[in-house]
């Protein structure tokens, strides 16, 4: 057993900040996944053997650095929103550090610490207000061999494997006797993942053609009187360009046109001007339009973010309302209490009301009157069960509709594209990505992006998409692995707290020949 050398408080805190930056470097748009693996190993080493208060403090500092690097883009909603989110998320990291500092006492800590990472991601993705899990470890595997595991263990399993590799490498440094076996097992994770990437997908019998529209809208117009009209007018204009291309290139005609989230920022059913623009677009296309719309909610002064099927002859049809809303972005928790005390919250606008049920709509087209389209609306991508429900509910074609306008020029659009790629690989389904002004295209089942648009461009793409009916293992088992990781972590933590002495294979932290604990701060 090798004990880490002692570190003065200043260096220890500096290392904590560097550790957070390393862990965050694996997220988009950086994508330096070896840095994440290194940072995870340092995290365990840094908090091992510390007293509870010190472990928690070091974990919070790691979290502050990591979250400030990766998700501070939310500050476009207001600096206070960004600060509050980063600080709150970092508390989860402090709790994780506290748990890890106890788990490393146990013999099988290299297997238990990764379970704690999964448990933390699971809990922070639910608590409070629906949670926020935009930077999970599993999202860092997309451009490396471990991505092959996504179709078999999902993003939850991928998070476990990333943390397992990191802690196995740390264990190999600490235990010379078992170093070769541990390193061989680590290499096997990458090799098997690479081989799984070669597993063939069944060739679909039927395909369909979709015209995908990226309207583009000036970010500075957001929230002004002209924004609601300009975004829908841009969608109509770009639809005309898409139709012109489709009718002159000799390829198949589109089966429907896909508009992104918030392509109409006013209810297209109730507002006559907006309704007329959608009707004109559908009549020109001569096929349905799948409209991302902001609609009036069920109560006064409320709204819903929706996906609405619009037929050129029959008008509005089936509809899905977004289930997972952004707290303090789309709705205000404790609105009656907070709004009078924090007037800045008025910029959020009307309170959004979540929908219910899976994101699957009846989408009849001429060639397939029973077609079902599964949709995932923007922030919902971060939620496993919501994303999986688009497949479980019978969606034969999966689309992702997003409003990236608010976060243009930040890390958010690149991170969202990576999550789309992860979802495509774990579900074994192509995903048609439609955004307002950033990174529209088609993601295939290997996670590759085709026809990617540029940010702040009005653009369109004509894509051929297979109709699939497969349901992958991650979709079938859903959140069961995350619940299992949470149960294992809680059980192991209880056992570790009942033990007085570190077990074999644990990490010890000494700073003197007498073995007095280093951590006194």
């Amino acid at each position: 057993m090798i004990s880490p050398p002692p570190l003065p408080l200043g260096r220890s805190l500096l290392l904590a900040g560097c550790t957070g930056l390393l862990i965050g470097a694996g997220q988009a748009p950086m994508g330096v996944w070896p840095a994440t693996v290194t940072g995870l190993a340092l995290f365990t080493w840094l908090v091992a053997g510390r007293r509870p208060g010190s472990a928690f403090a070091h974990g919070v500092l790691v979290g502050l650095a990591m979250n400030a690097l990766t998700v501070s883009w939310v500050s476009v909603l207001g600096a206070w929103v960004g600060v509050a989110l980063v600080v709150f998320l970092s508390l989860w990291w402090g709790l994780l550090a506290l748990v890890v500092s106890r788990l490393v006492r146990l013999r099988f800590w290299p297997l238990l610490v990764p379970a704690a990472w999964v448990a933390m991601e699971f809990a922070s993705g639910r608590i409070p207000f629906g949670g926020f899990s935009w930077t999970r470890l599993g999202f860092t595997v997309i451009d490396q061999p471990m991505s092959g595991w996504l179709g078999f263990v999902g993003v939850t399993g991928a998070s476990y494997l990333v943390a397992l590799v990191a802690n196995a490498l740390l264990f190999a440094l600490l235990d010379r006797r078992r170093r070769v076996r541990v390193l061989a097992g680590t290499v096997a994770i990458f090799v098997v993942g690479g081989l799984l990437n070669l597993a063939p997908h069944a060739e679909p019998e039927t395909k369909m053609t979709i015209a995908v529209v990226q309207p583009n809208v000036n970010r500075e117009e957001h929230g002004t009187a002209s924004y609601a009209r300009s975004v829908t007018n841009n969608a109509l204009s770009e639809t005309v360009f898409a139709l012109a291309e489709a009718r002159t290139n000799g390829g198949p005609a589109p089966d429907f046109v896909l508009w992104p989230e918030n392509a109409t920022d006013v209810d297209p059913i109730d507002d006559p001007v907006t309704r007329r623009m959608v009707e004109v677009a559908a009549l020109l296309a001569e096929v349905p339009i799948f409209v991302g719309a902001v609609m009036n909610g069920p109560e006064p002064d409320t709204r819903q973010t929706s996906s609405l099927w619009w037929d050129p002859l029959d008008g509005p049809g089936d509809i899905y309302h977004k289930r997972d809303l952004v707290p303090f972005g789309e709705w205000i928790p404790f609105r009656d209490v907070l709004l009078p005390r924090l007037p800045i919250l008025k910029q959020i606008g009307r309170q959004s009301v979540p929908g219910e049920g899976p994101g699957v709509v009846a989408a009849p087209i001429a060639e397939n009157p029973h077609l079902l389209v599964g949709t995932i609306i923007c922030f919902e991508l971060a939620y496993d069960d919501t994303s999986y429900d688009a497949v479980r509910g019978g969606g034969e074609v999966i689309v992702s509709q997003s409003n990236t306008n608010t976060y243009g020029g930040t890390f958010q659009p690149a991170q969202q594209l990576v999550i789309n790629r992860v979802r495509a690989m774990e579900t074994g389904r192509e995903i048609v990505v439609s955004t307002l002004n950033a990174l529209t295209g088609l993601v295939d089942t290997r996670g590759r992006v085709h026809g990617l648009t540029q940010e702040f461009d009005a653009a369109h793409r004509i894509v051929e998409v297979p109709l699939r009916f497969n349901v992958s293992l991650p979709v079938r088992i859903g959140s069961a692995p995350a619940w299992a990781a949470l149960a294992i972590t809680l059980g192991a933590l209880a056992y570790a707290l009942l033990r007085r002495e570190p077990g074999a294979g644990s990490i010890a932290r000494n700073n003197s020949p007498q073995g007095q604990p280093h951590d006194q701060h």
Side-chain angles (χ1 to χ4, degrees), residues 17 20-21 56-57 59-95 120 124 128 132 134-135 327-328 411 415:
L21 295 176
F56 182 83
V60 168
L61 187 54
V62 174
L64 286 172
M66 188 275 181
N67 289 296
L69 173 65
T70 57
V71 299
S72 57
W73 44 259
V74 78
S75 61
V76 301
L77 300 175
W80 66 272
V81 178
V83 171
L85 178 65
V86 168
V87 171
F88 179 79
L89 292 177
S90 301
L91 297 179
W92 283 108
W93 287 66
L95 179 60
M120 186 272 283
S124 65
F132 188 93
W134 198 255
T135 54
F328 300 104
F411 286 178
Q415 292 171 356

Side-chain angles (χ1 to χ4, degrees), residues 269 290 293 295 304 306-309 317-321 358 360-362:
I269 295 179
F290 199 24
M295 306 190 70
Q304 291 184 296
S306 310
S307 296
L308 173 63
W309 191 257
D318 202 7
I319 188 169
Y320 165 71
H321 301 298
V360 178
V361 301

Side-chain angles (χ1 to χ4, degrees), residues 22-34 36-37 40 66-67 70-71 73 89 93 117-118 120-122 124-125 131-151 153-163 376 378-388 411-427 431 446-447 474:
L22 285 171
I23 294 174
Q27 299 291 339
M30 292 79 68
V32 188
W33 63 266
T36 295
V37 172
L40 294 174
M66 188 275 181
N67 289 296
T70 57
V71 299
W73 44 259
L89 292 177
W93 287 66
W117 277 97
V118 171
M120 186 272 283
E121 291 184 345
F122 183 56
S124 65
F132 188 93
S133 54
W134 198 255
T135 54
R136 295 162 68 180
L137 298 181
F139 297 153
T140 67
V141 306
I142 193 64
D143 288 315
Q144 51 128 314
M146 276 195 285
S147 62
W149 289 99
L150 285 169
V153 300
V155 67
T156 298
S159 288
Y160 182 89
L161 289 175
V162 172
I376 308 167
C378 201
F379 190 58
E380 294 184 325
L381 281 166
Y383 295 87
D384 290 350
D385 284 330
T386 303
S387 299
Y388 298 162
F411 286 178
Q412 193 271 355
Q415 292 171 356
Q416 186 162 303
L417 180 62
V418 163
I419 302 176
N420 274 305
R421 296 173 63 196
V422 167
R423 295 304 183 196
M425 293 191 73
E426 65 176 349
T427 61
I431 295 182
R446 304 290 186 191

Side-chain angles (χ1 to χ4, degrees), residues 243-260:
L243 295 172
E245 178 183 332
R247 290 168 183 173
T248 58
N249 66 4
D255 292 291
F256 71 89
V257 179
L258 177 62
W259 285 8

